[in-house]
Amino acid sequence: MSQSLRQPPVLGYLIAGMLIGPHVPGIVLGGPDSLDMTQNLSEFGVILLMFSVGLEFSLRKIARIGPGAGLTAVFEIGLMMTLRFWSAR
């Protein structure tokens, strides 16, 4: 459906997940015991989503984005560790 609206497939996956999720009122797929199954299926869906997003990246694009993303990750990890240290004290 998302392709017919000229939108990325990821948007369609997210909307479908929200529509058939376990917290939508009126939709009970298998009763209250199916919450574990729904959680497992949602984790599997996230894995497939990440895989499909990874297929769209080329090695050239990753090499171009890499240094900036690496610097951002190092900065963010350092910031979070510092904030956690100060909040624990």
Side-chain angles (χ1 to χ4, degrees):
M1 180 176 163
S2 63
Q3 291 176 349
S4 64
L5 297 173
R6 295 187 180 121
Q7 298 297 318
V10 173
L11 181 63
Y13 298 152
L14 292 173
I15 292 173
M18 287 186 282
L19 290 176
I20 63 171
H23 303 292
V24 176
I27 297 178
V28 179
L29 301 173
D33 296 332
S34 70
L35 188 59
D36 288 333
M37 183 183 73
T38 305
Q39 188 173 12
N40 290 338
L41 286 174
S42 68
E43 290 174 4
F44 183 67
V46 169
I47 292 169
L48 288 177
L49 179 66
M50 292 176 70
F51 179 74
S52 67
V53 168
L55 288 177
E56 294 180 10
F57 279 100
S58 67
L59 290 177
R60 288 186 186 131
K61 186 184 287 187
I62 292 173
R64 189 179 68 226
I65 296 173
L71 183 63
T72 303
V74 167
F75 175 74
E76 185 175 345
I77 291 170
L79 178 66
M80 290 299 124
M81 288 176 68
T82 304
L83 290 174
R84 177 65 181 148
F85 174 76
W86 288 111
S87 68
R89 291 190 80 197

